[in-house]
Amino acid sequence: MEKKSKPAQRTRSPDGSARDRVDSVDPYGFQRSKDFDYESYEEFMSEYLVVLTRRTIKWSKLLKGKRRVQKNVKLKRYVRKGIPNEHRALIWMAASGGQDQLEKNPGYYQSLLGAQHDPKLVETICTDLNRTFPDNVAFRKTANPCMQKALYNVLLAYGNHNPNVGYCQGMNFVAGYLLIITKDEEKSFWLMDALLGRILPDYYSPAMMGLKTDQEVLGELVKVKIPGVWQTMMDHNVMWSLVVSRWFICLYIDVLPVETVLRIWDCLFYEGSKILFRVALTLIQQQQALLQQAQSLPDVCQNFKQITQGPFVEECHTFMQKIFTEPGSLSIATLSKLRATCRSRISAEEH
């Protein structure tokens, strides 16, 4: 019953008190929105900081100042419980294979920046720079240093490194988040390479086949695991791409709260793309009653937006525990099979 009484306590708090204590800019440089609930955030953080402190002590013991880590069962368990911010760059680089690539290719990043640049690539990247995190103080032109320069470099280097992809929308947000965490262009570049090349192949290619496929795969998983919601989608003739493409292309950036997104990325770098499905299925499963109330296509879209907000997604520690229990088993074999089926279906429709 304890949980039920919390919202009532929150509304009784004197207005402005939490606002005075909680900074209007979050630890990652994002300006909090006008309707930000300072009261519930403060309440959540008072509990979450205890968890973070405990995790930090455990991680420090595990790493003992080491710069190298090996993947194993214990590390996976630690990653699922959250990586303290000061160790994120190290673990993401190790888990994704980015560190190996960086060491195998000394000077490669700088050589990409020094190479001949395609004017079209430069123009496309520059168009998106000002649109990247306008609510983040580090990405404003007035910031010193301004993250836009580093973002430009990472995107340009990646476009030169992978000319088949070049640059496409969504990549600016991914690179921006990587820079916020690593504060290092070269590491951000190699993490981009791991994400776009190995973890999420074909998500950002011109045909976006990987992205299209995974949206359909989610539909198939919902059909089996949450049939009521699948039926609602069918009844209103809503394509999955309409409601979840932003979840997948932005890897939940600007969809879920920052702290929750970073916890998702901890697992994404370690366990791969199936994490994106676990998150999507948990969101849908948790709010299936709301989703099934939709009476029209706009209702469906509105409800899908609504399920990514509120205490359930803000309390990232509980949320992350749920993604490993709620959706049930989700093996790589199942995903591979579904991907093959969906991919051939999409190919047939497009030709």
Side-chain angles (χ1 to χ4, degrees), residues 211-247:
L211 176 72
K212 289 176 187 170
T213 301
D214 280 0
Q215 289 168 172
E216 292 304 308
V217 168
L218 178 63
E220 294 299 322
L221 289 167
V222 172
K223 186 178 181 178
V224 175
K225 293 176 183 283
I226 319 159
V229 173
W230 183 84
Q231 194 54 57
T232 303
M233 296 289 283
M234 293 301 106
D235 292 346
H236 300 295
N237 203 15
V238 185
M239 292 168 72
W240 285 99
S241 57
L242 196 63
V243 288
V244 299
S245 67
R246 209 159 140 259
W247 296 7

Side-chain angles (χ1 to χ4, degrees), residues 14 68 70 94 142 145-146:
R68 306 284 306 174
Q70 292 298 317
T142 50
C146 172

Side-chain angles (χ1 to χ4, degrees), residues 91-252:
I91 303 300
W92 286 6
M93 286 292 282
S96 65
Q99 188 63 35
D100 292 342
Q101 288 301 316
L102 185 147
E103 287 168 15
K104 279 182 202 157
N105 299 282
Y108 180 63
Y109 176 71
Q110 290 305 326
S111 75
L112 290 168
L113 291 180
Q116 196 67 42
H117 305 322
D118 172 1
K120 184 120 179 55
L121 176 68
V122 171
E123 188 192 339
T124 326
I125 291 170
C126 287
T127 308
D128 268 4
L129 285 182
N130 285 328
R131 297 177 190 158
T132 311
F133 303 133
D135 58 340
N136 190 301
V137 294
F139 283 86
R140 290 182 187 155
K141 283 220 165 76
T142 50
N144 185 19
C146 172
M147 268 301 211
Q148 280 193 19
K149 178 65 183 145
L151 179 64
Y152 170 78
N153 285 349
V154 172
L155 293 171
L156 184 66
Y158 190 80
N160 285 339
H161 165 68
N162 189 347
N164 292 336
V165 169
Y167 170 78
C168 65
Q169 283 187 322
M171 284 166 60
N172 52 326
F173 294 110
V174 174
Y177 249 54
L178 293 171
L179 282 165
I180 288 169
I181 296 303
T182 63
K183 298 180 175 50
D184 183 298
E185 283 181 29
E186 194 172 8
K187 285 179 181 171
S188 298
F189 166 78
W190 285 114
L191 286 169
M192 280 279 281
D193 179 55
L195 267 178
L196 278 51
R198 295 187 294 283
I199 299 172
L200 305 166
D202 279 352
Y203 260 51
Y204 300 87
S205 62
M208 289 185 156
M209 187 50 114
L211 176 72
K212 289 176 187 170
T213 301
D214 280 0
Q215 289 168 172
E216 292 304 308
V217 168
L218 178 63
E220 294 299 322
L221 289 167
V222 172
K223 186 178 181 178
V224 175
K225 293 176 183 283
I226 319 159
V229 173
W230 183 84
Q231 194 54 57
T232 303
M233 296 289 283
M234 293 301 106
D235 292 346
H236 300 295
N237 203 15
V238 185
M239 292 168 72
W240 285 99
S241 57
L242 196 63
V243 288
V244 299
S245 67
R246 209 159 140 259
W247 296 7
F248 283 75
I249 196 94
C250 289
L251 314 179
Y252 297 103

Side-chain angles (χ1 to χ4, degrees), residues 4 10 14 28 44 132 143 145 161 186 190 199 206 261 288 298 349:
K4 287 276 196 307
R10 285 172 185 168
Y28 307 99
F44 157 65
T132 311
H161 165 68
E186 194 172 8
W190 285 114
I199 299 172
V261 174
Q288 53 184 314
E349 285 167 5

Side-chain angles (χ1 to χ4, degrees), residues 276-331:
L276 300 182
F277 294 105
R278 286 199 163 280
V279 173
L281 288 167
T282 304
L283 289 169
I284 293 167
Q285 200 154 3
Q286 183 70 19
Q287 300 276 14
Q288 53 184 314
L290 172 72
L291 293 171
Q292 284 169 236
Q293 286 167 14
Q295 298 297 311
S296 63
L297 186 146
D299 276 0
V300 173
C301 295
Q302 184 51 44
N303 291 355
F304 262 90
K305 208 170 172 183
Q306 204 177 317
I307 68 173
T308 60
Q309 295 159 359
F312 179 65
V313 294
E314 282 157 12
E315 292 171 7
C316 56
H317 200 56
T318 318
F319 179 78
M320 290 307 287
Q321 287 168 336
K322 289 258 194 241
I323 77 163
F324 293 108
T325 52
E326 295 268 313
S329 74
L330 191 60
S331 69

